[in-house]
Amino acid sequence: MIGFAPTFAPAKVNLTLRVTGRRADGYHLLDSLAVFAGVGDVVSATPAEGLTLSLAGPGAEALRAEPDNLVLRAARALADTAGVPARAAIILEKHLPVASGIGGGSADAAAALRVLDSLWGTGLGPAGLRNIAAGLGADVPVCVESRPMRMRGVGEVLDPVPPLPPFGLLLANPRLALATPAVFKARAPGFSPPIAYPEAWRDAAALADWLRPLGNDLEAAAVSLCPTIAAVLAAIGAQPGCLLARMSGSGATCFGLFAAPAAAEAAAAALPASWWRWGGAEVRRAG
């Protein structure tokens, strides 16, 4: 038997993120417009007698100390749900920084669900995989989709968004990890109202103008814990053609919105080489 084609696990970018409430169990309720960048990790799998995970790529070392990678938890959850043996040799080629607010681990888990759904012939499809994903983490359901979506609740409520205009994305991380629970703990009290969407945006500038007042409710808390984020935001905002500079998720990765992918790519090249950075176009998985 042969393996299935490597599956791309693109970085998730929260163009805006609002904290709208908190459940009785302590989990925060969110409202966010998420898109996906043309940079990410790669997950592949082949048949095997047991379940194993091998790490490769420039970011592999950052994961070697993890006792139980989210990819393995996703694989076991799929096997349990589908009633099949958890047998696969999984390879994760890691390129995205860890604990960085762009859903790297969640994207890996979602990609593992997709590739194993094919390898094991479970036939659950996107809807079934989203149900499993909801038990793995807030970002995993939207990463199963890997296309522009509105995320609500604790990440399990997904809705389509109006058609987005073409735009370029720049991502930059100062190679500093930031723990999500610490950011939520440092957040100022209070909640934001839900997001109201227009019917469409005429171009990237209009999208940036709409996003600007919506903000990221976790940004100030993240900056208080990691002041370098402020310097990253300033550097992105100073690049020619930058329409908006903001932090993604709980940080420390920040993004810049540009009118075209080429402008974002040029801006990324101008940032400090010591940072992890990328510029280009967003991607949208079909289906």
Side-chain angles (χ1 to χ4, degrees):
M1 298 177 67
I2 61 172
F4 282 73
T7 298
F8 185 49
K12 174 243 16 165
V13 182
N14 299 100
L15 295 185
T16 182
L17 191 157
R18 290 191 152 192
V19 181
T20 58
R22 190 173 186 176
R23 300 193 317 195
D25 60 8
Y27 283 95
H28 288 84
L29 302 174
L30 307 176
D31 194 352
S32 175
L33 170 56
V35 299
F36 292 83
V39 62
D41 301 329
V42 179
V43 177
S44 57
T46 56
E49 291 302 313
L51 182 65
T52 62
L53 174 64
S54 300
L55 300 172
E61 284 303 316
L63 296 178
R64 294 200 192 280
E66 285 193 359
D68 190 21
N69 190 283
L70 188 58
V71 166
L72 291 173
R73 299 207 296 273
R76 290 194 294 267
L78 174 59
D80 290 344
T81 299
V84 299
R87 297 174 180 169
I90 305 171
I91 300 174
L92 169 58
E93 186 179 310
K94 191 68 182 172
H95 297 273
L96 299 176
V98 300
S100 60
I102 50 177
S106 297
D108 299 339
L113 290 175
R114 293 197 300 269
V115 74
L116 293 174
D117 185 44
S118 297
L119 180 67
W120 293 340
T122 53
L124 294 181
L129 296 182
R130 283 198 306 270
N131 289 335
I132 298 172
L136 295 170
D139 284 336
V140 186
V142 76
C143 288
V144 168
E145 293 292 335
S146 291
R147 55 195 171 102
M149 300 290 289
R150 181 184 187 183
M151 302 170 55
R152 290 184 295 145
V154 292
E156 84 285 10
V157 181
L158 301 178
D159 297 299
V161 296
L164 292 174
F167 60 90
L169 267 178
L170 179 157
L171 301 180
N173 183 287
R175 299 190 186 277
L176 295 173
L178 198 54
T180 297
V183 176
F184 273 98
K185 186 176 181 180
R187 188 185 70 87
F191 302 107
S192 295
I195 299 170
Y197 282 78
E199 292 185 4
W201 300 273
R202 68 179 182 275
D203 54 24
L207 175 62
D209 288 343
W210 176 79
L211 288 167
R212 192 166 291 108
L214 296 175
N216 178 339
D217 286 352
L218 300 180
E219 190 172 293
V223 170
S224 72
L225 296 173
C226 180
T228 304
I229 293 173
V232 176
L233 289 169
I236 293 174
Q239 297 305 310
C242 182
L243 301 171
L244 177 73
R246 177 167 292 163
M247 188 185 79
S248 176
S250 57
T253 302
C254 301
F255 71 88
L257 196 68
F258 293 78
E265 186 175 358
L271 294 178
S274 59
W275 295 354
W276 178 89
R277 69 258 202 267
W278 171 89
E282 60 150 343
V283 295
R284 304 179 189 184
R285 197 173 70 86

